[in-house]
Amino acid sequence: MHELRANIQDRFGHEEESKRLLVSCLSFGFKNGVPLDADMVFDVRFLPNPHFVPEFRKLTGLDPAVAAYVRSFRRPRSLLTGLRSCCFIFCRTM
């Protein structure tokens, strides 16, 4: 998700303050319910979860080894490509 945020910032970060797009990516547990202020929610439980890999358990998604592990699978790459396209389409219609 950090890549998606960076990609959106690269595309739209130059806009004047009044036209800025705010994107917040966060992780949450469905058992606690969807965040109330969420406009869009993507269920990504089908993606590989590094939490269940012992050497990654104490790390975060910001750690390069964890990011490389997730990106080594096809599904996360496909998801990011689709989300980038989706965001681009939504932003073009605003």
Side-chain angles (χ1 to χ4, degrees), residues 9-42:
Q9 183 64 36
D10 287 345
R11 287 180 186 250
F12 302 102
H14 61 280
E15 299 290 330
E16 61 187 69
E17 189 68 32
S18 64
K19 294 183 180 179
R20 280 205 152 161
L21 172 68
L22 175 63
V23 176
S24 298
C25 298
L26 62 102
S27 177
F28 67 93
F30 277 101
K31 67 180 179 181
N32 300 317
V34 175
L36 295 175
D37 59 348
D39 293 315
M40 288 192 279
V41 175
F42 300 96

Side-chain angles (χ1 to χ4, degrees), residues 18-73:
S18 64
K19 294 183 180 179
R20 280 205 152 161
L21 172 68
L22 175 63
V23 176
S24 298
C25 298
L26 62 102
S27 177
F28 67 93
F30 277 101
K31 67 180 179 181
N32 300 317
V34 175
L36 295 175
D37 59 348
D39 293 315
M40 288 192 279
V41 175
F42 300 96
D43 183 353
V44 297
R45 290 177 286 181
F46 64 91
L47 295 177
N49 189 341
H51 177 74
F52 298 108
V53 178
E55 61 265 29
F56 298 143
R57 187 169 213 128
K58 293 184 180 182
L59 304 175
T60 73
L62 296 174
D63 189 280
V66 174
Y69 168 79
V70 173
R71 282 195 302 263
S72 71
F73 295 90

